[in-house]
Amino acid sequence: MSGWLERFGFALGRGLRIFRPTDSVAAPSPEKSIEWGPPSENSNLGVFALSEAEMAKRKIIVTAIGDLELPTGEIIACDPLITGLERPVFSRKVRPGCYPITLLEAQGRVAAAVLRFDTGLPVRWELAAFVRDVGTSSWKSGFIVDDNVASFMDKSILTLMSDPEELDGYLADVACSFDRFRMDNPVDGNPLNIAMFDTGWGDGNYYSFWGLDAAGEPLVLMTDFEVLENADGRESNQSN
């Protein structure tokens, strides 16, 4: 598939570090996934079917911000300034590796953050549940943002520093020192890193979605910051 997906590093083999799983077999999901039908449950998921020209017409800007190290394949999405148990881990795992992150921007704001695990267009979507929420109402699976910033990181970040307060201090320093987004390494010489980015209109409760292939394996993880409407980045009065 040509277009913005490949242009921003989603083609297989583009960049030796993008897809390098440590095991040839994809990690299975520990729990039964929440099945979704067409993207009508969240109309913004249709953005992945748009061409570059359609993205431009809808005033959506795609920005590649770097590759995220996922040595465990267990992904945290959170407001990095909220400490303790408010750094939730998604219940679905991906193959350990290093994967590109892009931001979709519209109306001068970060509209969505996207992790890409493989090429192709998702054929099915599911709401991304956190381990803490498995077995509860699916719509509790968002994460709270209270400081206008969100992040993606590997679960191993939580144990990288021996002192939890040191981690809190590091995350606070990084969160207060960037404009729109930043990729950062907590420990010099260690490739483990973290991605931080602004969150749409600011504080709120935000949901993420897995885009799956025909075999049920994840191609993308998207967190929607509720700036787009029907995969359109224009203001309502501009899109008519």
Side-chain angles (χ1 to χ4, degrees):
M1 177 182 176
S2 61
W4 68 275
L5 296 179
E6 281 78 3
R7 180 183 173 192
F8 289 90
F10 292 157
L12 282 174
R14 182 178 178 182
L16 296 178
R17 298 178 68 251
I18 291 180
F19 298 114
R20 60 168 201 277
T22 57
D23 192 287
S24 60
V25 179
S29 301
E31 294 86 16
K32 178 177 174 57
S33 63
I34 304 167
E35 296 209 3
W36 278 56
S40 59
E41 300 286 0
N42 181 318
S43 61
N44 289 328
L45 301 178
V47 72
F48 292 95
L50 300 179
S51 66
E52 284 187 50
E54 290 170 323
M55 297 279 281
K57 183 178 179 180
R58 294 175 181 231
K59 298 188 181 298
I60 300 172
I61 299 170
V62 185
T63 304
I65 68 170
D67 298 340
L68 184 67
E69 294 279 350
L70 296 174
T72 70
E74 297 182 79
I75 304 168
I76 290 173
C78 69
D79 177 340
L81 296 178
I82 299 178
T83 61
L85 298 178
E86 290 306 318
R87 291 179 184 144
V89 182
F90 288 116
S91 59
R92 176 183 281 274
K93 299 180 182 180
V94 300
R95 288 182 306 231
C98 187
Y99 300 102
I101 298 180
T102 58
L103 302 179
L104 305 185
E105 299 179 83
Q107 301 178 43
R109 300 177 183 274
V110 176
V114 181
L115 259 170
R116 186 80 185 188
F117 309 108
D118 209 340
T119 56
L121 186 65
V123 299
R124 183 167 64 86
W125 292 89
E126 69 177 28
L127 184 66
F130 292 109
V131 171
R132 68 183 185 192
D133 299 321
V134 171
T136 65
S137 172
S138 61
W139 284 103
K140 292 182 179 179
S141 294
F143 65 91
I144 295 172
V145 169
D146 198 34
D147 297 284
N148 303 327
V149 60
S151 61
F152 286 151
M153 65 184 90
D154 189 83
K155 182 181 178 181
S156 58
I157 287 280
L158 300 183
T159 56
L160 183 64
M161 300 176 182
S162 58
D163 184 354
E165 291 186 2
E166 183 181 1
L167 175 61
D168 292 343
Y170 158 74
L171 293 174
D173 287 344
V174 176
C176 295
S177 63
F178 70 87
D179 179 25
R180 290 174 42 242
F181 64 85
R182 181 172 171 180
M183 301 288 293
D184 198 81
N185 298 79
V187 177
D188 290 341
N190 188 323
L192 193 62
N193 60 356
I194 183 172
M196 294 191 191
F197 29 82
D198 290 341
T199 55
W201 302 104
D203 299 346
N205 191 43
Y206 296 111
Y207 298 95
S208 304
F209 304 87
W210 296 104
L212 308 177
D213 64 15
E217 296 301 327
L219 299 178
V220 299
L221 174 68
M222 171 188 178
T223 299
D224 185 0
F225 297 121
E226 302 176 1
V227 174
L228 305 179
E229 293 185 23
N230 299 317
D232 195 321
R234 296 170 291 185
E235 295 180 8
S236 297
N237 61 345
Q238 296 176 317
S239 58
N240 295 327

